[in-house]
Amino acid sequence: MSTDLKKDNNHAIFLILAAAILISAGFQIGFSELPEISEALIAGTASAVFSAVLVMLTNLLPHDIKHKLVFTRPFNEMPAGRIHKLTIKDPRIDSVLASSRWPDVFDSEIEPGLRNSRWYQQIYKSVKDKPEVLQAHRSFLLYRDVFSGMVMLLLIAAVWQWLGDPTLIGPLTPEVFYTLGGFTLLSQLAARFSGNRFVVNAVAVAM
């Protein structure tokens, strides 16, 4: 199912990453040049190739690395490992009732990795096809993969600034890095929020 959700997100991922590139290009070579560039990249024959390249960027990082970067945690990064804390903030969920129904998940002494596994087995699997859970899962995968793509674009820009031929487009302007950095930060925050929402939605629906 997650593979299908990822495929469903490919067009949105392409548009978001393309927007970041086009805005950066506007700052680098001038916004007056953008109409011709955007027409070539987003329409016509080049569209399929450009889209495939951008989506490919999102798959260069392994899933576990993506999750560690999104949640800025080297270990126990998955939000379901903290579900007993996240549900306290959600008015839809009675924490006492949740603890009595799934003690193996909500016991505060449980190790986060084990809690994540039990959340998956005892809660998520029973509601994974419910609309609220599907939509939250789709949003998490979307912003996680956009964030992954933005990280790769930032790395490419940094390598180009260091090793690229300055006679082609000149040194990259600070605005290029501000744009890419802004998109990266926003997508990270969106992925983090969506990931937390995803695991909490599963509990709310299961109750």
Side-chain angles (χ1 to χ4, degrees), residues 7-53:
K7 288 181 179 178
D8 291 344
N9 284 337
N10 281 349
H11 184 62
I13 291 171
F14 163 59
L15 291 178
I16 295 171
L17 295 183
I21 290 173
L22 289 173
I23 293 172
S24 299
F27 283 118
Q28 182 66 29
I29 63 176
F31 285 95
S32 61
E33 304 293 330
L34 278 189
E36 292 184 11
I37 297 175
S38 60
E39 184 177 351
L41 293 180
I42 299 182
T45 314
S47 175
V49 176
F50 187 52
S51 176
V53 170

Side-chain angles (χ1 to χ4, degrees), residues 64 67-69 71-77:
D64 58 334
H67 296 150
K68 291 178 188 299
L69 291 174
F71 295 103
T72 57
R73 291 172 178 263
F75 307 104
N76 300 317
E77 63 277 3

Side-chain angles (χ1 to χ4, degrees), residues 1 12 57 80 90 98 103 109 120 125 131 137 194 197 199:
M1 178 61 69
L57 287 179
D90 195 303
E109 300 301 317
Y120 181 87
K125 286 181 72 174
H137 194 186
S194 298
R197 193 69 174 171
V199 299

Side-chain angles (χ1 to χ4, degrees), residues 17 20 29 31 37 41 63 77 81 95 100 112-113 118 129 134-135 150-151 159-160 181 185 193 197 200:
L17 295 183
I29 63 176
F31 285 95
I37 297 175
L41 293 180
H63 290 171
E77 63 277 3
S95 296
S100 64
R118 289 176 175 175
D129 293 325
L134 272 176
Q135 183 54 49
M150 290 306 310
V151 168
V159 170
W160 176 265
L185 178 60
F193 174 82
R197 193 69 174 171
V200 170

Side-chain angles (χ1 to χ4, degrees), residues 55-123:
V55 172
M56 181 188 69
L57 287 179
T58 69
N59 295 316
L60 292 180
L61 291 177
H63 290 171
D64 58 334
I65 299 299
K66 292 180 185 180
H67 296 150
K68 291 178 188 299
L69 291 174
V70 164
F71 295 103
T72 57
R73 291 172 178 263
F75 307 104
N76 300 317
E77 63 277 3
M78 298 306 291
R82 303 179 292 282
I83 191 65
H84 62 306
K85 297 178 180 178
L86 295 174
T87 51
I88 293 175
K89 306 172 185 177
D90 195 303
R92 299 172 298 170
I93 298 172
D94 184 329
S95 296
V96 175
L97 180 59
S99 296
S100 64
R101 184 167 180 181
W102 299 291
D104 290 342
V105 177
F106 285 88
D107 188 333
S108 61
E109 300 301 317
I110 296 173
E111 186 269 328
L114 181 58
R115 189 194 315 279
N116 179 71
S117 177
R118 289 176 175 175
W119 167 86
Y120 181 87
Q121 293 294 333
Q122 299 182 26
I123 299 175

